[in-house]
Amino acid sequence: MRYDRCKKLFSKFNSLKELNILIAGVGGVGGYALDCLYRSGVKNITIVDYDRFDITNQNRQIGSKFVGKKKVEILAKLYEGIEPIDMKLTPENLKTLNLDKYDIVIDAIDDINAKIALIKNSPKIISSMGAAKRVDPTKIRIDSIWKTNTDPFAKKIRNKLKKEKLNIDFKVVYSIEKPIPCNMGSFVGVTGAFGFALCSEVLKDFI
């Protein structure tokens, strides 16, 4: 049977069917979080993204052989039964998502303002920090946003939260590896591992 080996690991496997998860951003990180959750038996998954696949995505993104096609449309075909929402997340349009209905939000977007708005408005969230410009997946960590270090992107998020006087605590996936100085460099061994780490933490919390 399809999920026999998952059932051997997860004593409360059937409860996965009750989970309702939103994945914000399904690129090099969010796409692998989706794949991991779906293969583990989670069915109630909503994905939000507005982008189209580009040839430059092919080093790291699931579905990227369909260059020019909408990411959510392709992924909805590859992962039958998930709910796709074709929308660019902004602080203004987040209200249309009714975030309260989700058990957890997986944040895998890069836009800082939208990210902060998502953090502020989600009842429970786990967030991806900077996965680009790194090559060592063994340096990935999961901790409170306030305990992150060496990650410039996480520092920007912390500073933004402090500036807005938001004392919000939530888990993040980040890397202690120092970013490699380059422009737009990315490696699926790290971005994919970020997605798997997000998935793993969600499953551990709920089972």
Side-chain angles (χ1 to χ4, degrees), residues 48-115:
V48 183
D49 204 306
Y50 75 100
D51 209 357
R52 295 177 183 270
F53 285 116
D54 184 83
I55 194 169
T56 60
N57 302 146
Q58 291 185 340
N59 75 316
R60 69 195 183 283
Q61 293 189 16
I62 296 173
S64 56
K65 69 177 182 178
F66 298 98
V67 173
K69 300 294 185 180
K70 284 281 188 177
K71 291 180 181 179
V72 293
E73 293 177 2
I74 293 300
L75 293 174
K77 292 177 181 178
L78 295 176
Y79 302 92
E80 185 178 353
I82 68 170
E83 180 181 350
I85 299 178
D86 180 10
M87 181 174 74
K88 179 177 174 62
L89 285 175
T90 67
E92 293 74 29
N93 66 19
L94 277 174
K95 295 178 182 179
T96 64
L97 294 177
N98 188 18
L99 295 173
D100 288 334
K101 76 176 185 179
Y102 298 104
D103 295 303
I104 191 163
V105 172
I106 293 177
D107 159 36
I109 59 177
D110 297 325
D111 182 272
I112 289 183
N113 289 330
K115 204 173 190 77

Side-chain angles (χ1 to χ4, degrees), residues 167-186:
N167 188 26
I168 304 172
D169 195 15
F170 56 97
K171 291 180 182 178
V172 299
V173 174
Y174 72 106
S175 175
I176 61 172
E177 180 183 2
K178 186 177 179 181
I180 296 169
C182 64
N183 183 31
M184 303 294 287
S186 58

Side-chain angles (χ1 to χ4, degrees), residues 135-201:
V135 296
D136 189 351
T138 69
K139 299 295 179 62
I140 294 172
R141 302 289 185 270
I142 301 173
D143 212 331
S144 163
I145 180 62
W146 304 108
K147 295 181 179 179
T148 55
N149 56 73
T150 71
D151 184 340
F153 189 72
K155 183 177 181 181
K156 290 180 181 179
I157 297 298
R158 292 196 308 272
N159 289 342
K160 188 79 170 177
L161 292 171
K162 290 175 184 177
K163 185 176 181 180
E164 296 191 25
K165 297 181 179 180
L166 296 171
N167 188 26
I168 304 172
D169 195 15
F170 56 97
K171 291 180 182 178
V172 299
V173 174
Y174 72 106
S175 175
I176 61 172
E177 180 183 2
K178 186 177 179 181
I180 296 169
C182 64
N183 183 31
M184 303 294 287
S186 58
F187 169 50
V188 70
V190 173
T191 60
F194 262 61
F196 289 142
L198 289 164
C199 168
S200 174
E201 196 64 22

